[in-house]
Amino acid sequence: MNASSASQAGPNWLGYGFAALGAVLFASKGILIKLAFAEGVDTLTLLALRMGLSVPIYIAVGFIAYARDRQKAAPMPAYGKALLIGMIGYWFSSYADFKGLETLTPQFERLILFTYPLFVLLLGALLFHMPLRWKSLMAFGIAYLGLAVVFLADFETDGSDIVVGTLWVLGAAVSFALYQLLAGGSIAILGAPLFTSVAMTGAAVVVLLQFFATHPLSALLVSGRAFALAVTLAIGATVLPSFLMSAALSRISAAANSTIGTLSPVVTLFLAVLILGEPLRGVDLLGTALVVGGVGLFTIADRRRR
């Protein structure tokens, strides 16, 4: 049953459940990274472990997808393009995100990343001549007002460290937006599972080359707790939620999936309080409400245009 037929038949609670669980698992990523940093694992080592543990699963899924549609095999340049998109987009996005979390709280990092659709809008207009609508910009103005509220509060206590972390995560959001824009054509040719397999492999190659150029192999021998966190990050906060989101999109609309995704920064906020012992500040609640509200307004406006 596709998304349109599901909507005609009534609410697809399984699809909504998949989307909600995927959003919750994605929300745990920053928490797991912070816990791993506390174990003394640096950014590149953790990223290498994450990619090394998750990519074999994506490759296996990709081989299954390729074998299933072998008669409709895409031309070789399509695979090369997908590989390059993964190297340019997903690698830098992940690396910049991890670097930002060295100084930012997980809840602020998640709020910044959550605004990546603004960069999809701006880059789409700049590079691909997509329409730029003022209502969408107004919605994101609300979201960035929320970011400014949290940023100014954190800047008072942590100063330049917050500026550096914010710039890293903004770079991750821009890179992920570019990845989204470039990926569309390749997904149409290869299909989502095969494209994801190839793109993730490309990103993993760059991560591992970067790691081995700067670290000895022995750096991968981390503590048992750190390795368990890396496994959880790779499987529980990377592979599993990506498949849950795909399963959700096969049952509910993309707009419904995006709306449910607004759970993610809210869940991150409360996980940071419960697991990391972060204080629950009024400024964080206000900033989260503004960001979620702004992105939610954009989602509603985008849905109406369709």
Side-chain angles (χ1 to χ4, degrees):
M1 180 182 289
N2 57 33
S4 60
S5 60
S7 61
Q8 292 169 0
N12 189 316
W13 298 113
L14 188 59
Y16 294 139
F18 285 153
L21 182 56
V24 169
L25 290 176
F26 272 133
S28 69
K29 183 193 67 175
I31 308 298
L32 293 167
I33 292 171
K34 279 293 194 182
L35 290 172
F37 284 167
E39 291 294 310
V41 182
D42 65 84
T43 291
L44 262 180
T45 301
L46 185 59
L47 192 54
L49 286 168
R50 178 203 191 194
M51 298 301 283
L53 291 165
S54 62
V55 164
I57 300 173
Y58 284 114
I59 290 176
V61 171
F63 273 120
I64 293 170
Y66 178 81
R68 187 181 58 203
D69 297 325
R70 185 174 297 176
Q71 286 117 354
K72 298 184 288 184
M76 286 306 296
Y79 294 95
K81 182 180 178 182
L83 203 68
L84 198 58
I85 291 171
M87 290 179 176
I88 294 172
Y90 200 88
W91 159 72
F92 182 76
S93 178
S94 297
Y95 178 69
D97 185 31
F98 277 50
K99 289 292 292 182
L101 276 164
E102 290 179 357
T103 54
L104 299 183
T105 62
Q107 55 267 41
F108 189 34
E109 171 263 356
R110 176 54 52 180
L111 287 178
I112 298 171
L113 277 184
F114 192 61
T115 63
Y116 81 87
L118 171 62
F119 296 111
V120 173
L121 193 73
L122 295 177
L123 292 174
L126 182 65
L127 302 176
F128 300 98
H129 308 292
M130 295 168 62
L132 188 62
R133 295 176 172 85
W134 288 109
K135 286 184 179 179
S136 298
L137 291 178
M138 289 175 61
F140 278 104
I142 296 171
Y144 271 84
L145 177 62
L147 289 182
V149 166
V150 181
F151 175 85
L152 291 173
D154 288 349
F155 183 77
E156 287 184 3
T157 55
D158 295 305
S160 60
D161 285 345
I162 294 301
V163 176
V164 173
T166 299
L167 290 174
W168 272 118
V169 181
L170 279 173
V174 172
S175 177
F176 187 68
L178 187 60
Y179 173 84
Q180 293 275 308
L181 287 166
L182 293 174
S186 292
I187 290 174
I189 295 171
L190 298 175
L194 187 53
F195 168 79
T196 302
S197 170
V198 176
M200 288 291 289
T201 300
V205 167
V206 179
V207 166
L208 293 174
L209 286 175
Q210 186 183 14
F211 172 81
F212 287 119
T214 56
H215 291 65
L217 182 62
S218 59
L220 293 175
L221 300 176
V222 296
S223 69
R225 176 175 165 80
F227 186 75
L229 288 167
V231 171
T232 306
L233 177 64
I235 307 303
T238 305
V239 174
L240 188 55
S242 70
F243 286 126
L244 283 168
M245 289 299 176
S246 295
L249 284 170
S250 70
R251 292 169 171 82
I252 62 176
S253 69
N257 192 56
S258 296
T259 302
I260 293 171
T262 59
L263 282 170
S264 187
V266 178
V267 172
T268 300
L269 173 63
F270 287 103
L271 286 178
V273 172
L274 292 173
I275 298 175
L276 299 180
E278 297 278 353
L280 182 59
R281 306 177 303 176
V283 70
D284 291 317
L285 293 172
L286 175 60
T288 299
L290 288 169
V291 172
V292 170
V295 176
L297 285 173
F298 168 77
T299 302
I300 293 169
D302 185 64
R303 184 176 185 179
R304 286 177 177 170
R305 286 201 304 269
R306 299 177 188 208

